[in-house]
Amino acid sequence: MDRQAMRGLSGLAAGFVLMAGATTLEAQHRPIRMGEAMAGSLTAQDPKFGDRGAFHTYRLEAKAGDRFNISMNSGDVDSFLWVAKTVGGLTDLVVQDDDGGGDTNARLRFRAIEAGTYLVVAQSLSRDGVGAYELKVEVAPPAVPVVAIALAAGQVLEGSITETSPILEDEDPALPYQLYTFTGRGERVRVTVRSGAFDSYVRVRKVGANGEEDVASDDDSGGGTDAMVTFTANGQYRIYARPLEASSTGAFTIALNALPVVKITSRPIAIGATITATIEATDPETDGSQYFHQYTVTAQPGERLRITLRSSRFDAYLTWGRLVGTGLENTAVDDDSAGDTDSQLDVIVPREGTYVIRVHALGTRETGEYSLSVARQQ
């Protein structure tokens, strides 16, 4: 459940479980013995939350900036661990974990953004789960200073996420990362983060006079659980390499490659025509790493057009728009409106001119044959 969903439930299910019975639960908040394994046992008589099962709450007093490692291990229940803070009668989820401790054990890292009382909740993931568990809350070692590592095109560097890695405070939940810098001069580049230890995530921000601006982010486009982004680099950038889950640690590699310039050819297509062609690995790519073909069609104001893209080789995706400079300003997109995995767009031409149709697969780096048709509708 994400943070917004938890807040939405705060006045309903969460409010009922944690607040309506506040007198009873307040007395049952268990003290934390820092650094010790604390034994507990979830029973059928314990309160439940949402679609999950029985839970116990522990009171954690923290100062702003305090860091903790929290684990819940059990051979009886599938552990679910979360930290919450009650503010103005609402129970606000801060961070949660299911299997970060390996197998069905939970483990998370938590940094207190502000001083106050937090609730550590040890819970059964399944509705009917009961049994013994051990909860451990430890003070985490201080984070290492943030040192940005210079990354150049053609390099592959090794990195590691550890218990002392710095944490991205503006992520929800806060996540450990390693920071890289790169300066581009108009070239298209691809950043790939790979790891056998965790599900990789990469985030690219451009550094400007007013701070950092998001450029691209990705989870699995590098294949499997590896992350990959492609963008045109012009200026200074910060690249954040991190795991998808806050509790993950381990080694990874990061690679930066300059991509060869592939000329974008716009092929004309007449209204009433159908074209068959094949997307290949030598075609230009979108910023989302999809090979594409681009077509132009000239139309009059008020004309109603139906554009259909079909392929048995890939999940078709259509974009309709106009060229602005060297980029495409899209005004309409579609994935599956033609049925199955085929795409279809119905558009009304706003003014006379030449418009662009871009065709590609929904997935990254997919190729294959397709048919594209443009028909006038009454």
Side-chain angles (χ1 to χ4, degrees), residues 7 9-12 14-16 18-20 85-92:
R7 288 191 65 92
L9 283 174
S10 296
L12 299 173
F16 178 80
L18 297 179
M19 298 305 299
K85 187 170 176 50
T86 301
V87 181
L90 296 180
T91 302
D92 191 9

Side-chain angles (χ1 to χ4, degrees), residues 319-322 328-333 345 347-348 350 355-356:
T319 300
W320 162 271
R322 301 196 75 169
L328 175 62
E329 183 180 87
N330 61 292
T331 56
V333 296
L345 280 172
V347 299
I348 300 175
Y355 292 82
V356 171

Side-chain angles (χ1 to χ4, degrees), residues 297-303 320 322 348-355:
V297 59
T298 302
Q300 301 300 314
E303 282 192 295
W320 162 271
R322 301 196 75 169
I348 300 175
V349 178
R351 59 185 181 274
E352 181 181 0
T354 299
Y355 292 82

Side-chain angles (χ1 to χ4, degrees), residues 159-174:
S160 182
I161 299 297
T162 70
E163 298 291 349
T164 60
S165 293
I167 290 177
L168 280 169
E169 305 294 353
D170 60 347
E171 295 281 2
D172 184 13

Side-chain angles (χ1 to χ4, degrees), residues 244-267:
L244 185 65
E245 301 292 337
S247 57
S248 299
T249 58
F252 68 89
T253 62
I254 182 169
L256 176 66
N257 294 297
L259 300 180
V261 176
V262 179
K263 182 180 179 181
I264 299 175
T265 301
S266 293
R267 317 170 188 195

Side-chain angles (χ1 to χ4, degrees), residues 1-11 14-15 18-19 49 82-96 110 113-114 117-121 172:
M1 183 177 296
D2 62 25
R3 183 184 181 116
Q4 189 62 37
M6 177 66 79
R7 288 191 65 92
L9 283 174
S10 296
L18 297 179
M19 298 305 299
F49 175 79
W82 45 291
V83 177
K85 187 170 176 50
T86 301
V87 181
L90 296 180
T91 302
D92 191 9
L93 175 68
V94 179
V95 63
Q96 65 180 7
F110 163 60
I113 301 300
E114 58 185 3
T117 301
Y118 293 81
L119 298 180
V120 177
V121 184
D172 184 13

